[in-house]
């Protein structure tokens, strides 16, 4: 009975909930490992990626690369931001914040080197892309997950005091 | 941990509410517990993640360490640069620049002087700060000499600009303009000169500057003929001045590190060195007398002292084409050899101490740029070092920019050097046979990369690395900072002037590199095998 109520509350069928959970774990896993790999590789720096920058944020990227102090801060924030976002998505803690932050970060990656017509990059891309790439799709998936949250059902957010209780 | 979290929501319950809106004390603890278990449902995923990360980490470490240990690179120590920590105390060095064309201007930038327009441009590009943070070298440009009045004026504006590294404390000395370099050499207020004229002046100017007791930084090539090189070698040796040839590649930290790695003998027996030029633009092919609109660039017989520009070269009527495109004509230069091969040769010479070869053959022709030029646009040079069991091969192409990288080939492995170093094992290497069989080394991809930006050897490589390897050689990375290599090369020269030491491309190295280029040029022009008589020190 109580379980049924919970599904009702979110209007998810069992298969919908399962699909959302699968998508959540996959994106969370991916983002968490992106962060973990950077922590484990002390040589990693975002400078190679930023050097590729074209289009809207290329000036900003150039500014970051040319300031070693700023680059260091960006590298730090990026690495630990990815870790925090990945953990938030998998464990369902502060899930909406994590998912939206993740979507924003991925969208910035996308803007750094969007596969628009006429833009060529020396870093090989994953597969063949035209306007849409993996970053953009993952960002959209995270927005979707934020709009269809599962963290109150399977996630640490369920253990947080509910904001909705006053309405009930 | 689990216990605490399970208790968490129960504390909220005395308020009579829980998130699912369930009421009733009997069900409450049961539901809360179930809910807590569900809240923690993601923990197994996290556990699996941690387990997989550890597994991958161990796998990577084992691979990496066994390769690095096997190669003896775990104890390698690279020289540490003192760049950015040095104060250039001692006397201010007053420099005169002879020849203020494009290269002269770049050299002034590297010394810490820039035209106000360019400062504005770089400020807009966001790259001004990098230049302003260049080490202050404790120098002043106090003389500009050029046979073209526009360039002379331009140089004066640059030398007088107050915005520069060193800030307000940098001394502002008056700058003089000279239209004859001899007048500059006679001036007691000049301590050292930079020669950045067309190549046919290098020989005589070096001799005269050395005799006048001025320290010399001379752009490549050293000189165009054997006679000139012998004369300038004797003059510099007799004078005791500090001479540095403008082969700045040696300042790229990558070469210092490649030398350390080569000393470990990872490549086996080295028998072939290959270097290349890959360019495919009109500017890259030295067609430079027209601006981007196709109009002739400035300069006329009234504004350029043509007689002085020709110097000892055969007389021809004034030609704006010859003035800007002097590289194309053998009256003034040796073409690809003196402009680009010289850098390639220098790179290999710094790594392997090649010296002058026993013999040189050269072939090629003007196959693409049929504009009346003397120089070959497709050129091959083969240098033989039989006593070292070694061949150096150069292939220069001005009609294709397909990237071919500098490679040192040994029977165990080969090394590619661009802006990073990549070493790949040979698939038939005796030394790495076992590692290749065990799957620890993949001969199809680099087994070691060294990226100076990262400051560490890495045995694992990615496709990305390969792409970056081919980047240009205008800057290098020291302690995480991008630094102009010409600036470093000038800095070394100035340091040697103050400390009375020998710079890396000193007159002895310049002698070898100059003779090599003359031999290659003669092999091409005379269509014969040119040799070196090491006893009598002459070309045969």
């Amino acid at each position: 009975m109580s379980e049924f109520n919970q599904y009702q509350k979110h209007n998810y069928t069992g298969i919908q909930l399962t699909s959302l959970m699968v998508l959540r774990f996959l994106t969370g896993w991916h983002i968490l490992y992106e962060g973990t790999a950077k922590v484990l590789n002390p040589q990693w720096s975002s400078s190679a990626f930023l050097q590729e920058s074209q289009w809207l944020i290329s000036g900003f990227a150039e500014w970051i690369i040319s300031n070693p102090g700023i680059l260091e801060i960006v590298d730090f924030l990026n690495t630990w931001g990815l870790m925090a976002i990945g953990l938030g998505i998998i464990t369902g803690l502060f899930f909406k914040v994590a998912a939206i932050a993740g979507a924003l970060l991925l969208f910035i990656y996308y803007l750094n080197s969007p596969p628009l017509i006429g833009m060529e990059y020396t870093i090989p891309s994953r597969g063949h892309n035209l306007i849409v790439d993996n970053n953009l799709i993952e960002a959209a998936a995270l927005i979707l997950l934020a709009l269809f949250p599962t963290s109150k059902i399977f996630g640490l957010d369920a253990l947080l005091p509910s904001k909705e209780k006053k309405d009930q | 941990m689990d216990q605490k979290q399970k208790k968490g929501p129960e504390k909220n319950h005395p308020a009579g509410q829980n998130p699912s809106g369930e009421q009733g004390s009997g069900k409450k603890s049961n539901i809360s517990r179930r809910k807590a278990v569900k809240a923690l449902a993601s923990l197994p995923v996290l556990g699996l993640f941690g387990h997989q990360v550890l597994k991958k980490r161990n796998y990577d470490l084992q691979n990496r360490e066994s390769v690095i240990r096997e190669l003896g690179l775990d104890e390698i120590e690279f020289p540490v640069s003192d760049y950015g920590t040095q104060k250039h105390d001692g006397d201010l060095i007053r420099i005169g620049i002879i020849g203020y064309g494009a290269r002269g201007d770049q050299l002034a930038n590297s010394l810490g002087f820039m035209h106000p327009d360019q400062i504005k441009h770089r400020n807009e590009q966001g790259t001004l700060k990098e230049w302003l943070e260049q080490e202050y070298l404790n120098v002043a440009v106090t003389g500009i000499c050029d046979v073209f009045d526009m360039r002379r004026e331009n140089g004066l504006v640059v030398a007088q600009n107050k915005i520069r590294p060193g800030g307000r404390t940098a001394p502002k000395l008056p700058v003089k303009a000279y239209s004859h370099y001899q007048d500059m050499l006679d001036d007691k207020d000049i301590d050292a000169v930079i020669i950045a004229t067309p190549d046919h002046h290098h020989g005589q100017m070096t001799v005269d500057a050395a005799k006048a007791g001025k320290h010399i930084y001379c752009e490549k090539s050293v000189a165009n003929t054997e006679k000139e090189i012998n004369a300038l070698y004797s003059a510099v040796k007799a004078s005791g001045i500090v001479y540095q040839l403008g082969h700045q590649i040696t300042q790229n930290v990558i070469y210092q590190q490649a030398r350390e790695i080569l000393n470990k003998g990872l490549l086996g027996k080295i028998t072939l060195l290959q270097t290349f030029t890959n360019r495919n633009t009109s500017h890259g092919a030295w067609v430079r007398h027209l601006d981007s609109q196709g109009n002739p660039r400035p300069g006329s017989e009234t504004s350029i002292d043509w007689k002085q520009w020709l110097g000892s070269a055969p007389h021809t009527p004034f030609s704006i084409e010859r003035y800007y495109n002097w590289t194309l004509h053998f009256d003034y230069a040796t073409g690809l050899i003196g402009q680009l091969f010289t850098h390639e040769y220098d790179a290999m010479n710094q790594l392997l101490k090649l010296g002058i070869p026993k013999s040189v053959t050269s072939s090629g022709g003007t196959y693409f740029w049929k504009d009346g030029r003397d120089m070959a646009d497709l050129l091959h040079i083969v240098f033989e070092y039989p006593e070292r069991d070694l061949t150096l091969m150069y292939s220069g192409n001005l009609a294709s920019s397909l990237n071919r990288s500098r490679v040192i080939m040994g029977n165990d492995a080969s090394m590619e050097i661009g802006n990073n170093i990549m070493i790949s094992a040979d698939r038939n290497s005796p030394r790495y046979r076992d590692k290749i069989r065990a799957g620890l080394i993949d001969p199809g991809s680099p087994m070691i990369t060294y990226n100076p930006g990262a400051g560490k050897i890495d045995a694992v490589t990615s496709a990305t690395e390969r792409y970056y390897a081919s980047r240009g050689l205008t800057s290098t990375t020291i302690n995480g900072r991008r630094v102009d290599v010409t600036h470093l090369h000038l800095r070394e020269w100035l340091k040697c002037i103050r400390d009375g030491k020998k710079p890396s491309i000193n007159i002895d190295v310049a002698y070898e590199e100059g003779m090599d280029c003359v031999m290659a040029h003669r092999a091409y022009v005379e269509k014969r095998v040119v040799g070196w008589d090491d006893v009598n020190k002459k070309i045969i």
Side-chain angles (χ1 to χ4, degrees):
Chain A
M1 176 68 183
S2 68
E3 222 148 85
F4 178 74
N5 280 350
Q6 277 189 10
Y7 291 128
Q8 283 290 300
K9 198 175 130 205
H10 293 282
N11 289 322
Y12 298 149
T13 65
I15 185 78
Q16 284 173 336
L17 182 64
T18 310
S19 307
L20 285 169
M21 288 302 295
V22 168
L23 184 60
R24 189 179 120 191
F25 285 144
L26 294 181
T27 49
W29 182 293
H30 175 230
I31 291 174
L32 181 59
Y33 187 67
E34 281 281 5
T36 312
K38 291 171 177 65
V39 172
L40 294 181
N41 178 6
Q43 295 194 38
W44 178 84
S45 162
S46 60
S47 70
F49 177 71
L50 292 171
Q51 263 172 26
E52 289 284 279
S53 190
Q54 291 189 38
W55 210 44
L56 291 180
I57 63 166
S58 59
F60 179 61
E62 174 67 31
W63 174 74
I64 294 172
I65 306 167
S66 53
N67 291 280
I70 305 283
L71 182 64
E72 214 165 285
I73 293 169
V74 166
D75 285 351
F76 180 85
L77 288 179
N78 184 49
T79 303
W80 292 100
L82 284 166
M83 293 284 281
I85 291 166
L87 279 173
I89 293 172
I90 292 183
T91 60
L93 184 66
F94 305 118
F95 175 75
K96 274 192 185 176
V97 178
I100 291 168
L104 277 176
L105 193 58
L106 285 159
F107 192 61
I108 293 171
Y109 295 167
Y110 170 77
L111 284 184
N112 184 71
S113 42
L116 305 183
I117 294 169
M119 293 192 179
E120 311 242 336
Y121 303 99
T122 47
I123 296 184
S125 65
R126 291 175 284 181
H128 296 88
N129 301 311
L130 177 64
I131 300 173
V132 177
D133 69 4
N134 307 36
N135 285 328
L136 194 61
I137 295 168
E138 196 168 4
L142 284 175
I143 297 286
L144 184 95
L145 286 173
L147 294 174
F148 295 89
T150 49
S151 59
K152 294 247 174 204
I153 308 165
F154 289 111
L156 295 175
D157 280 347
L159 305 180
L160 297 175
S162 174
K163 279 184 203 164
E164 293 163 39
K165 66 185 174 186
K166 279 177 195 160
D167 305 333
Q168 288 175 359
Chain B
M1 170 81 180
D2 276 7
Q3 285 299 321
K4 273 185 197 165
Q5 281 172 332
K6 279 177 191 171
K7 279 177 188 164
E10 285 175 348
K11 282 180 187 163
N12 294 331
H13 294 166
Q17 310 232 354
N18 67 32
S20 59
E22 293 284 345
Q23 300 284 332
S25 61
K27 284 181 171 181
K28 200 167 67 181
S29 69
N30 194 20
I31 289 161
S32 302
R33 197 167 296 123
R34 185 185 296 173
K35 191 173 158 189
V37 169
K38 284 163 71 180
L40 297 169
S42 58
L43 288 188
V45 178
L46 218 51
L48 182 66
F49 178 85
H51 176 251
Q52 290 298 316
V53 166
L54 281 178
K55 216 168 138 186
K56 174 154 173 53
R57 175 98 175 133
N58 280 338
Y59 175 81
D60 287 350
L61 282 181
Q62 255 176 18
N63 263 0
R64 190 182 302 223
E65 277 172 11
S66 71
V67 170
I68 287 182
R69 215 180 303 118
E70 163 72 17
L71 302 179
L73 294 177
D74 45 347
E75 285 167 4
I76 199 163
E77 276 187 23
F78 292 134
V80 179
S81 170
D82 59 2
Y83 188 79
T85 62
Q86 292 286 297
K87 288 252 182 301
H88 295 269
D89 295 331
D91 293 339
L92 176 84
I93 297 177
R94 296 161 304 175
I95 295 176
I97 300 179
I98 309 176
Y100 203 84
R103 186 59 189 160
D105 193 51
Q106 287 166 359
L107 286 157
N109 292 172
S110 299
L111 277 177
F113 297 83
M114 196 178 278
H115 196 281
D117 293 348
Q118 205 186 338
I119 287 196
K120 210 175 133 204
H121 177 72
R122 286 189 66 146
N123 194 27
E124 284 162 9
Q125 300 279 309
T127 57
L128 182 65
K129 196 164 163 255
E130 183 183 305
W131 176 73
L132 282 173
E133 282 171 359
Q134 219 172 249
E135 233 176 48
Y136 168 59
L137 299 176
N138 195 14
V139 290
V141 173
T142 55
I144 300 286
C145 176
D146 203 287
V147 297
F148 182 7
D149 55 14
M150 190 190 84
R151 287 185 161 178
R152 210 160 46 229
E153 293 303 318
N154 189 36
L156 281 181
V157 175
V158 170
Q160 285 164 342
N161 194 358
K162 292 188 174 69
I163 302 171
R164 61 184 178 109
R168 293 197 183 121
T169 53
K172 318 283 182 295
L173 299 186
V175 188
K176 286 188 223 168
Y178 307 84
S179 44
H180 291 85
Y181 78 92
Q182 287 91 346
D183 296 340
M184 182 190 269
L185 297 181
D186 290 341
D187 196 327
K188 296 277 174 291
D189 293 333
I190 301 268
D191 304 311
V193 293
I194 291 176
I195 301 173
T197 61
D199 292 5
H200 63 291
H201 291 291
H202 290 182
Q204 191 59 48
M205 283 179 179
T206 304
V207 170
D208 293 343
K211 283 184 179 159
K214 312 290 185 199
H215 301 288
I216 301 167
Y217 181 102
C218 184
E219 265 305 321
K220 47 80 193 174
S221 53
V222 185
N224 289 346
T225 66
E226 183 181 7
K227 199 175 144 199
E228 285 177 329
I229 293 172
N230 282 326
L232 73 88
Y233 180 78
S234 313
V236 169
K237 279 285 184 185
S239 69
I241 56 126
V242 177
Y243 175 98
Q244 171 100 301
L245 180 66
H247 275 155
Q248 71 273 11
I249 259 179
T250 184
Q251 302 295 337
N252 193 320
V253 289
I254 205 95
Y255 287 92
Q256 292 152 22
Q257 280 131 6
R259 208 177 302 143
E260 296 291 324
I261 295 174
L262 279 174
N263 287 342
K264 292 276 175 186
L266 300 187
L267 307 192
K269 185 174 161 91
I270 297 168
T271 51
L272 181 58
L273 318 172
Q274 284 193 328
T275 65
F276 301 94
T277 290
N278 319 299
R279 304 217 294 206
N280 192 15
T281 63
S282 59
H283 189 267
W286 294 282
V287 181
R288 297 180 179 179
H289 63 298
L290 302 175
D291 63 17
S292 54
Q293 313 297 318
N295 301 315
R297 288 172 62 198
S300 65
E301 211 164 351
T302 50
S303 56
I304 295 171
D305 181 348
W306 184 243
K307 194 169 165 245
Q308 212 198 151
W309 187 86
L310 282 174
S312 57
H315 177 76
T316 55
F318 176 78
S319 157
I320 198 70
E321 189 272 330
R322 281 182 172 247
Y323 176 77
Y324 280 105
N325 304 343
W326 53 268
T327 302
L328 308 183
H329 305 280
F330 287 162
D331 285 345
Y332 323 115
T334 56
L336 272 173
I337 293 167
Q339 299 306 305
L340 295 178
F341 166 73
T342 185
H343 277 304
E344 297 298 322
Y345 175 80
D346 174 56
M348 291 300 179
N349 195 29
Q350 293 307 310
L351 290 178
L352 295 161
K353 300 278 166 245
L354 295 174
I356 302 177
K358 181 97 177 141
S359 68
V360 183
T361 50
S362 180
S363 72
T366 311
Y367 297 154
F368 188 85
W369 297 95
K370 297 194 179 289
D371 50 10
R373 63 178 63 197
D374 296 329
M375 67 170 281
D377 54 27
L378 192 83
L379 183 70
H380 290 96
I381 308 171
V382 181
F383 278 36
E384 295 296 345
Y385 294 88
E387 67 287 359
R388 299 268 306 259
D389 294 333
L390 189 87
T391 293
L392 165 67
M393 207 202 84
Y394 167 78
S395 169
N397 190 352
L398 293 180
S400 166
S401 57
L402 177 75
N403 182 52
R404 300 174 291 171
S405 55
R406 243 172 244 135
V407 197
I408 301 176
M409 287 178 235
N411 71 321
D412 282 320
S414 55
M415 180 192 255
E416 272 182 73
I417 312 165
N419 241 6
N420 72 2
I421 299 170
M422 289 190 290
I423 299 181
S424 309
D426 192 282
R427 65 182 69 256
N428 298 316
S429 156
R431 174 169 176 177
Y432 303 122
R433 186 182 292 135
D434 295 344
K435 291 267 165 201
I436 292 172
R437 268 198 204 135
L440 280 175
I441 292 176
D442 171 13
S445 65
M447 64 174 173
I448 294 176
T449 63
Y450 179 81
N451 185 340
K456 210 179 136 209
I457 282 192
D458 193 356
V460 176
T461 184
S462 68
T464 315
E465 292 270 353
R466 180 170 275 278
Y467 279 77
Y468 278 103
S470 58
R471 291 275 166 112
L473 276 162
T474 49
S475 62
T476 186
T477 309
I478 296 178
N479 306 331
R481 269 171 82 172
R482 190 161 63 173
V483 187
D484 165 21
V485 286
T486 303
H487 165 69
L488 292 173
H489 205 43
L490 286 161
R491 173 183 182 264
E492 187 198 65
W493 173 57
L494 294 164
K495 233 173 158 212
C496 290
I497 293 175
R498 291 199 175 95
D499 304 345
K501 289 190 179 139
K502 267 190 168 185
S504 42
I505 317 292
N506 56 59
I507 189 64
D508 293 301
V509 181
Y511 176 81
E512 289 175 354
E513 301 193 347
M515 282 301 180
D516 291 333
C517 288
V518 171
M519 286 171 76
H521 181 59
R522 286 186 51 185
Y524 177 72
V525 173
E526 296 169 21
K527 308 247 173 285
R528 68 177 181 95
V529 180
V530 171
W532 176 250
D533 177 349
D534 201 34
V535 180
N536 299 306
K537 305 283 175 208
K538 59 188 269 212
I539 295 174
I540 47 175

